[in-house]
Amino acid sequence: MPTRRELANAIRFLSIDAVQKANSGHPGMPMGMADIAEVLWNDFLHHNPRNPHWLNRDRFVLSNGHGCMLLYSLLHLTGYDLTLDDLKHFRQLHSKTPGHPEYGETPGVETTTGPLGQGLANAVGMAIAEKHLAATFNREGFPLIDHYTYAFVGDGCLMEGISHEACSLAGVLGLHKLIVFYDDNGISIDGEVKDWFRDDTPMRFRSYGWRVIADVDGHDSEALRRAVAEARTPADRPTLICCKTVIGWGSPKLAGTAQTHGAALGEAEVAAVRKKLNWPYAAFEVPTEIYAGWDARAKGEHLEKEWLNLFSSYKQAYPEPAADLERRFAGHLPQAWAEQADELLQNLHHKHETMATRKASKICLDHYAKILPELMGGSADLTESNCANWEGATVFCADHPAGRFIHYGVREFGMSAIMNGITVHGGLIPYGGTFLTFSDYARNAIRLAALMHIRSIFVYTHDSIGLGEDGPTHQPIEQLPSLRLIPRLSTWRPCDTAETAVAWRAALENEGPTCLLFSRQNLAYQERDSRALSQIIRGGYILCDYSLGKPHAIIIATGSEVALAVAAAQQLKKENILVRVVSMPSTDTFLRQDPAYQNEVLPEQIQARVVVEAAASEGWYRFVGREGRVLGLDRFGASAPAKDVYRDCDLTLEAVLEAVHEVLEALPVLPASAKSMRGV
């Protein structure tokens, strides 16, 4: 039987060989953390390489994702569908071994990591999901949901502010099945961290309410095994294991230096490592007995089979929760979902209520939370302002893990990354709220949700200068168009209660992430016929048309500005100028519609177009072309009542009318009788 060190060395050499072949990558961390990984994966981690999606597997997160060859080596050695050829194509185009771990690209990768600290926050989300689902589904004698979340982190992860946001909350929530390994090697890209990072990390985490196991030799397998065993003993808190390691361990010349962090060692040094560690094998060669020592397939199949037997008995005793669990992890909505969503829309349509769309969102949550037990909400200390909870919601906390609402505190970035962790865990659909202007704090987590194409729902209220008196620090300008730039992210800005209901439905049905943008101020309900009502889901539609299908001009608007567009169209009709109003709550959804529908809503021959939206204007020119006008905001707002801010920013009825007249005068589309009405 190979020794533990020999097993760990297989990780080291697969990692340095792959980095060397690619002439790109990060060999130092895999070399330094190989002994930790060997103990965790061989002695403690419950997983099944033949089924990476086994529901009750332990989750492993590599937050210091630059060291991804450690993870790829582990997946290959333990028997996942990751071949030696895949390792040889490390960092190459369309390979299964990209430069940082990517969710959905590599079997066994639980979440996309690389932007430091986010994997740690994802792990917090996974531990929240495990704790909540255990409280929801477990019954006496049936520990159906019972697994750990393990995370590897480095100095960089702990320097990032998100680590404070996520770990502070994790301690409060008592996430006792979260175990984090800190790679305390004292080195980052720029060299020895003592010149810029001198935190007392054990004390810091104790202050968060964590159990800390300090000063563990990260190259002593027995010490590591004892530490993990201690971390798994019953407690009411998460655990940090501080592992003293040497980056690039085994390299005669470069160990302990920043030179091993982000570059290949070089052929000569690779050869020197082989000699020092007595590894007489060629590049990418792993002896049969080493593979046998790592192979986790039989053990994993046995673990899953035991769990399936437990689930079979559970299913007989508790058929309804068993069916609900299966449905949730399959990502399916309830059978009657479509009818129940239509019911909400029809109710709101018939009431014709004037209200802020944030309050309309609350009505939607009251409805959807009753039919979607997997919906798990939260807010970054703005619950009442965001209208983020629902009637009867209970709070998720250490003593009540069955609750479905999380008080995230003022932690916008942490909240968003934690939500992503909840999503990739499975079984839950998370949403979290804050003000739209603070989406900037959360942006990189939103981006990773889009990159992973996962169903996280980001709720942003106070969506424009309409919030008024709080002023330009809180009035979003560039945030809405900047969200629209993120690939695979869907963004909705509804104009009334009906569009709000559809926006929520779209978000819950979307397989990827969605941003929902709601107003602080009241918005009037817009009259629409049944056809228009049915077409909201298409992202853009004809709200009203005073031209019988042959408009002189088209006004496109979103959110609170839709009412302004309708008022302008009504005024222009008195001048014999026939205008179509297109409400476009979701540009990305509209652009995914077939060309025939897009041309039906925005006919190519109608070049007289005006857009009205209280946000930066640049992104709208694809819809209005060279001849059109965009009434937007390419300046910051002001502190005053909303109506005064709109007037100061020249977003008024008069401005819309002026813009329509200007585009029409530049185009020969109006009869003389209509032109003569101007100014009357």
Side-chain angles (χ1 to χ4, degrees), residues 194-214:
K194 62 180 177 61
D195 291 332
W196 51 85
F197 183 59
R198 296 184 185 178
D199 294 14
D200 186 335
T201 298
M203 185 63 73
R204 170 186 165 188
F205 274 78
R206 289 189 183 106
S207 75
Y208 293 154
W210 287 51
R211 170 169 55 187
V212 176
I213 304 172

Side-chain angles (χ1 to χ4, degrees), residues 477 481 611 613 615-621 630-634:
I477 301 297
V611 165
E613 183 179 71
S617 63
E618 183 66 28
W620 280 108
Y621 286 96
V630 179
L631 289 182
L633 281 177
D634 296 309

Side-chain angles (χ1 to χ4, degrees), residues 473-500:
T473 60
H474 284 51
Q475 293 166 0
I477 301 297
E478 73 281 12
Q479 284 76 16
L480 171 51
S482 73
L483 290 172
R484 288 179 177 143
L485 292 174
I486 300 177
R488 298 201 293 193
L489 176 69
S490 190
T491 302
W492 286 78
R493 186 180 183 234
C495 75
D496 64 4
T497 57
E499 285 191 1
T500 300

Side-chain angles (χ1 to χ4, degrees), residues 308-363:
L308 288 172
N309 290 336
L310 178 69
F311 183 64
S312 178
S313 299
Y314 178 90
K315 200 170 184 177
Q316 291 179 352
Y318 305 101
E320 289 187 9
D324 189 42
L325 183 68
E326 289 179 313
R327 176 189 66 79
R328 292 200 205 182
F329 273 87
H332 298 154
L333 296 171
Q335 188 173 1
W337 163 254
E339 293 84 355
Q340 291 167 324
D342 285 339
E343 178 188 354
L344 173 65
L345 177 58
Q346 291 300 328
N347 287 342
L348 291 173
H349 174 58
H350 291 307
K351 288 180 179 178
H352 286 212
E353 289 184 283
T354 293
M355 66 173 63
T357 51
R358 62 171 175 161
K359 293 184 178 178
S361 172
K362 172 72 162 55
I363 293 173

Side-chain angles (χ1 to χ4, degrees), residues 660-678:
V660 173
H661 281 298
E662 287 180 0
V663 296
L664 287 172
E665 288 177 356
L667 296 165
V669 297
L670 278 182
S673 61
K675 291 185 178 181
S676 67
M677 290 291 293
R678 185 175 181 188

Side-chain angles (χ1 to χ4, degrees), residues 272-300:
V273 178
R274 277 186 156 77
K275 182 177 180 181
K276 180 176 179 178
L277 298 185
N278 191 27
W279 189 263
Y281 311 107
F284 296 103
E285 181 183 348
V286 178
T288 303
E289 61 271 21
I290 297 289
Y291 273 121
W294 272 107
D295 192 345
R297 288 171 292 187
K299 179 183 176 183

Side-chain angles (χ1 to χ4, degrees), residues 298-598:
K299 179 183 176 183
E301 284 188 328
H302 175 72
L303 288 169
E304 183 172 3
K305 184 178 179 180
E306 284 188 330
W307 185 85
L308 288 172
N309 290 336
L310 178 69
F311 183 64
S312 178
S313 299
Y314 178 90
K315 200 170 184 177
Q316 291 179 352
Y318 305 101
E320 289 187 9
D324 189 42
L325 183 68
E326 289 179 313
R327 176 189 66 79
R328 292 200 205 182
F329 273 87
H332 298 154
L333 296 171
Q335 188 173 1
W337 163 254
E339 293 84 355
Q340 291 167 324
D342 285 339
E343 178 188 354
L344 173 65
L345 177 58
Q346 291 300 328
N347 287 342
L348 291 173
H349 174 58
H350 291 307
K351 288 180 179 178
H352 286 212
E353 289 184 283
T354 293
M355 66 173 63
T357 51
R358 62 171 175 161
K359 293 184 178 178
S361 172
K362 172 72 162 55
I363 293 173
C364 295
L365 285 171
D366 288 343
H367 180 81
Y368 289 135
K370 291 183 179 70
I371 59 180
L372 292 176
E374 61 266 44
L375 195 62
M376 192 167 197
S379 175
D381 202 46
L382 290 168
T383 300
E384 296 304 317
S385 294
N386 297 152
C387 299
N389 58 357
W390 63 88
E391 185 179 349
T394 59
V395 174
F396 174 91
C397 59
D399 297 328
H400 185 60
R404 292 165 54 198
F405 189 84
I406 301 173
H407 286 294
Y408 284 102
V410 187
R411 300 178 174 101
E412 295 89 355
F413 191 10
M415 172 181 72
S416 304
I418 288 169
M419 286 165 51
N420 289 343
I422 293 172
T423 305
V424 296
H425 177 279
L428 294 166
I429 302 174
Y431 71 85
T434 186
F435 292 167
L436 177 55
T437 191
F438 301 142
S439 66
D440 287 341
Y441 285 137
R443 187 174 181 83
N444 204 257
I446 302 169
R447 183 176 187 272
L448 286 191
L451 182 61
M452 291 191 278
H453 199 58
I454 58 173
R455 189 162 38 182
S456 296
I457 301 174
F458 305 98
V459 177
Y460 296 121
T461 69
H462 297 58
D463 69 342
S464 73
I465 56 173
L467 64 89
E469 291 87 345
D470 277 337
T473 60
H474 284 51
Q475 293 166 0
I477 301 297
E478 73 281 12
Q479 284 76 16
L480 171 51
S482 73
L483 290 172
R484 288 179 177 143
L485 292 174
I486 300 177
R488 298 201 293 193
L489 176 69
S490 190
T491 302
W492 286 78
R493 186 180 183 234
C495 75
D496 64 4
T497 57
E499 285 191 1
T500 300
V502 174
W504 261 110
R505 176 176 183 170
L508 291 163
E509 292 178 346
N510 187 16
E511 293 181 356
T514 304
C515 291
L516 299 176
L517 280 54
F518 299 128
S519 72
R520 175 183 184 271
Q521 73 274 29
N522 287 338
L523 304 182
Y525 187 86
Q526 297 301 318
E527 298 285 347
R528 52 175 73 78
D529 59 25
S530 59
R531 188 169 187 268
L533 194 69
S534 70
Q535 290 180 335
I536 297 173
I537 196 68
R538 305 188 78 166
Y541 65 101
I542 301 169
L543 175 63
C544 59
D545 194 340
Y546 294 105
S547 69
L548 300 178
K550 296 181 180 180
H552 298 132
I554 297 174
I555 304 177
I556 307 168
T558 78
S560 48
E561 289 73 64
V562 168
L564 198 57
V566 171
Q570 292 170 343
Q571 176 64 35
L572 290 164
K573 184 182 178 183
K574 298 176 183 177
E575 304 175 25
N576 295 326
I577 298 174
L578 305 181
V579 171
R580 169 181 295 178
V581 175
V582 171
S583 178
M584 196 173 290
S586 177
T587 57
D588 60 276
T589 303
F590 178 74
L591 291 170
R592 288 196 300 272
Q593 305 304 308
D594 61 86
Y597 177 77
Q598 292 185 40

